[in-house]
């Protein structure tokens, strides 16, 4: 995973990797992965309760304010709009 992130950084110098653009990409990917896991758990819980007709329905962009500035995230959605992420 680290190699994939490094491949997306334009310059391979320390500033590009450890600076805001490199670390921001890592934060973005980590947060979006956590949100996807939250939605998976939410949908599994609904299926366990017998309400299995709900499914993933794409993402919506959202700007999140972090201690290091703003971060653009793609927040996953479900078809019935019952998913409320705890991370953001």
């Amino acid at each position: 995973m680290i190699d994939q992130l490094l491949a997306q950084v334009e310059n391979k110098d320390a500033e590009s990797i450890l600076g805001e653009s490199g670390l921001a990409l890592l934060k973005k990917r980590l947060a979006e992965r956590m949100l996807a896991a939250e939605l998976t758990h939410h949908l599994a819980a609904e299926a366990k309760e017998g309400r299995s007709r709900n499914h993933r329905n794409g993402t919506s962009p959202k700007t999140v304010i972090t201690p290091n500035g703003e971060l653009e995230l793609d927040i996953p959605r479900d078809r019935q709009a019952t998913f409320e992420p705890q991370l953001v």
Side-chain angles (χ1 to χ4, degrees), residues 4-29:
Q4 291 174 349
L5 288 171
L6 289 174
Q8 294 178 9
V9 176
E10 290 180 24
N11 301 319
K12 302 296 186 222
D13 58 18
E15 178 60 31
S16 297
I17 295 169
L18 298 174
E20 259 323 291
S21 62
L23 292 178
L25 181 59
L26 179 59
K27 286 186 233 178
K28 175 181 172 61
R29 293 277 172 92

Side-chain angles (χ1 to χ4, degrees), residues 35-50:
L35 289 164
E38 275 190 55
L39 180 57
T40 298
H41 179 74
H42 172 75
L43 294 174
E46 283 191 352
K48 189 175 181 180
E49 294 173 4

